[in-house]
Amino acid sequence: MCLLELYSSYLYSSDLQFGFKKKTGCNSAIYTVKSVVEYYTKHGSTVNVCLLDMSKAFDKVNHYGLYLKLMKRNIPQRFLMVLINWYSKCYAAVRWNGVFSRVFDISCGVRQGGVLSPILFAVYVDDIIVNLRESRMGCSINGLYIGCVMYADDLLILSASLTSHL
């Protein structure tokens, strides 16, 4: 909680990510998708929706990739060093029929249940939204890009065409 309080200004994510944020959530994401569909259908178009559920996504966050993304945001070195220290000391062993495997390093994933974990995940996947927005592929309303909506690890891509962008 202390780290989040001190460094939250570096831990932002796109306004099209509706998970893990105060004053927004699933209802906001649903409203956004519904509004886009209503706008396009009212103007005589269809909306194609592609849904991607990144199951087990928290477990797949590459630590080094996360550090690089944070460094691009000019995160203070002391915060980065805390994260590196935490994540370089993650170990596990498997117990099967009462017998333990050797201990091994956990080289990816954010800590389940950690206060920072959902926010670090949102930072890690934010490039997906940024790249989609920059491509301008998908739906826009009055110049406002709404070609994707993300809620936690669920991504919806919205497009009026299957072959080109608007």
Side-chain angles (χ1 to χ4, degrees):
M1 293 294 289
C2 294
L3 293 172
L4 186 56
E5 181 70 29
L6 289 170
Y7 302 109
S8 62
S9 63
Y10 297 95
L11 302 173
Y12 55 87
S13 60
S14 170
D15 55 344
L16 293 171
Q17 166 63 277
F18 291 90
F20 317 125
K21 294 181 180 176
K22 292 179 181 178
K23 300 181 182 180
T24 189
C26 191
N27 288 338
S28 300
I30 291 168
Y31 177 78
T32 301
V33 172
K34 183 179 175 195
S35 297
V36 170
V37 171
E38 285 175 354
Y39 175 86
Y40 274 83
T41 55
K42 180 180 174 185
H43 290 87
S45 180
T46 60
V47 177
N48 301 286
V49 180
C50 175
L51 292 91
L52 175 63
D53 177 11
M54 295 179 263
S55 62
K56 304 289 183 191
F58 273 51
D59 298 333
K60 303 217 184 335
V61 172
N62 179 292
H63 295 160
Y64 299 108
L66 176 62
Y67 305 149
L68 288 172
K69 289 171 189 271
L70 291 168
M71 284 189 278
K72 285 182 183 176
R73 293 174 179 220
N74 296 316
I75 196 102
Q77 184 178 6
R78 61 186 166 270
F79 178 51
L80 183 62
M81 296 311 292
V82 168
L83 291 177
I84 291 170
N85 189 329
W86 274 353
Y87 286 116
S88 67
K89 295 177 181 172
C90 292
Y91 305 99
V94 176
R95 185 177 77 179
W96 187 46
N97 288 335
V99 178
F100 285 90
S101 72
R102 65 172 182 77
V103 173
F104 55 91
D105 294 334
I106 298 174
S107 60
C108 59
V110 289
R111 296 175 181 217
Q112 297 293 324
V115 172
L116 277 176
S117 296
I119 292 142
L120 292 173
F121 175 78
V123 167
Y124 186 74
V125 298
D126 196 54
D127 287 345
I128 295 170
I129 298 171
V130 169
N131 290 337
L132 285 168
R133 178 177 271 140
E134 287 174 358
S135 78
R136 303 299 300 165
M137 297 187 87
C139 294
S140 291
I141 298 176
N142 298 326
L144 177 65
Y145 179 77
I146 315 174
C148 68
V149 171
M150 194 164 201
Y151 183 76
D153 64 350
D154 295 315
L155 176 67
L156 283 78
I157 300 173
L158 307 158
S159 179
S161 168
L162 294 174
T163 59
S164 66
H165 65 287
L166 298 173

